């Protein structure tokens, strides 16, 4: 069967199954830590979220943030996120992470969860520079993503740049090859330190989380 390499198509097709990863029993302890971490970090912020998907983390941040503009390039996950009715302080827009909309005023926080792992090593700085144009000086940057841990989908190949890939099959039987990188804490710091003055990495078994300050 043909294998698609379109990450955008993959997530559009997977929208209704997106949150199944948050039901895995062995991840519950870490997820509890992350929900508390994000609610604390988001408190009082005006947040711009990239790649919000079905809004799992938008909901968590919405409990304490002042406002959130949550964006994703795909209509189906965005519709699920909208249907959560997170309150008048949360708005949604369809947007590509590399071509974000013009905003009336800059945000004092930016977040992107389970997105950084899908950004090619070649595009990381381009993404950060573009995201930073929507954020104030000294804005807070919040990222959560996966560690490679027991139960992770195996890595199927590594490209010349060092990006790693996984083969994933959806419930309908379609096969995709999806780029998924698993940076170490040191690699995260190195990638972020050009744009960020401080980078704090929380390391859990299944996940990492970054709270950083833009310069
Ligand atoms: C792994 S999901 C993460 C969703 C959500 N943040 C979460 O943690 O549950 C990645 C998301 O990135 C979105 N996406 C893929 N390519 C994108 C792009 N170029 N710009 C914006 N969003 C994109 C997908 O539609 C999908 O919702």
């Amino acid at each position: 069967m043909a294998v698609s390499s379109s990450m955008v198509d993959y997530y559009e097709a997977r929208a209704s199954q997106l949150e199944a990863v948050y039901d895995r029993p062995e991840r519950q302890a870490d997820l509890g830590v992350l929900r508390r971490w994000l609610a604390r970090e988001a408190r009082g912020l005006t947040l711009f979220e990239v790649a919000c998907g079905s809004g799992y983390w938008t909901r968590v941040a919405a409990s304490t943030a002042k406002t959130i503009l949550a964006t994703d390039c795909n209509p189906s996950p965005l519709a699920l996120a909208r249907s959560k009715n997170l309150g008048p302080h949360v708005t949604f827009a369809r947007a590509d992470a590399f071509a974000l909309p013009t905003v009336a005023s800059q945000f004092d926080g930016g977040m992107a969860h389970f997105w950084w792992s899908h950004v090619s090593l070649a595009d990381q700085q381009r993404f950060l520079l573009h995201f930073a144009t929507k954020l104030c000086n000294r804005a807070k940057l919040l990222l959560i993503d996966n560690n490679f841990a027991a139960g992770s989908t195996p890595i199927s190949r590594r490209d010349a740049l060092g990006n790693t890939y996984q083969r994933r099959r959806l419930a309908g039987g379609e096969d995709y090859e999806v780029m998924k990188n698993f940076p170490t804490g040191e690699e995260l710091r190195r990638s972020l330190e050009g744009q960020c003055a401080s980078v704090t990495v929380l390391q859990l078994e299944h996940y990492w989380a970054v709270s950083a300050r833009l310069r």
Side-chain angles (χ1 to χ4, degrees):
M1 188 188 268
V3 177
S4 168
S5 60
S6 167
M7 217 248 299
V8 174
D9 293 352
Y10 169 75
Y11 279 110
E12 176 62 12
R14 193 185 143 193
S16 64
Q17 302 161 46
L18 254 184
E19 294 194 10
V21 288
Y22 300 126
D23 293 335
R24 293 174 69 162
E26 73 282 10
R27 299 189 181 187
Q28 295 311 306
D30 280 5
L31 287 167
V33 172
L34 289 174
R35 284 191 295 264
R36 289 190 291 280
W37 175 88
L38 181 58
R40 205 166 51 240
E41 292 285 342
R43 185 168 298 283
L45 295 179
T46 59
L47 275 173
F48 191 129
E49 182 177 12
V50 161
C52 68
S54 55
Y56 181 92
W57 298 101
T58 319
R59 186 205 292 272
V60 174
S63 65
T64 57
K66 187 172 175 195
T67 62
I68 305 179
L69 171 59
T71 63
D72 197 283
C73 71
N74 272 320
S76 296
L78 211 45
L80 289 168
R82 275 201 178 94
S83 73
K84 288 189 162 85
N85 294 319
L86 297 178
H89 65 311
V90 182
T91 50
F92 294 93
R94 194 167 167 198
D96 187 308
F98 291 94
L100 294 170
T102 304
V103 290
S105 61
Q106 288 172 312
F107 292 72
D108 55 23
M111 66 178 189
H113 307 305
F114 300 85
W115 162 250
W116 187 254
S117 54
H118 293 307
V119 178
S120 165
L121 300 175
D123 291 332
Q124 287 179 345
Q125 299 311 313
R126 182 165 70 92
F127 166 67
L128 281 177
L129 280 167
H130 179 55
F131 198 13
T133 64
K134 310 300 167 192
L135 308 175
C136 308
N137 290 342
R138 307 272 307 145
K140 190 186 268 191
L141 182 67
L142 300 170
L143 309 172
I144 298 172
D145 221 308
N146 295 95
N147 282 327
F148 191 85
S152 295
T153 304
I155 291 169
S156 52
R157 74 177 175 95
R158 180 180 297 268
D159 68 18
L161 270 180
N163 295 297
T164 50
Y165 297 80
Q166 295 172 327
R167 285 293 189 98
R168 300 188 184 183
R169 175 165 292 182
L170 292 181
E174 315 87 9
D175 285 314
Y176 291 84
E177 182 185 61
V178 177
M179 179 190 294
K180 179 82 181 173
N181 289 318
F182 296 94
T184 63
E186 205 32 57
E187 286 168 337
L188 283 168
R189 267 180 238 285
R190 272 207 301 275
S191 308
L192 296 170
E193 69 189 6
Q195 307 303 323
C196 299
S198 69
V199 179
T200 304
V201 184
L202 170 68
Q203 284 287 5
L204 303 174
E205 181 183 355
H206 296 276
Y207 306 100
W208 55 259
V210 160
S211 175
R213 280 271 167 213
L214 290 186
R215 290 183 190 284

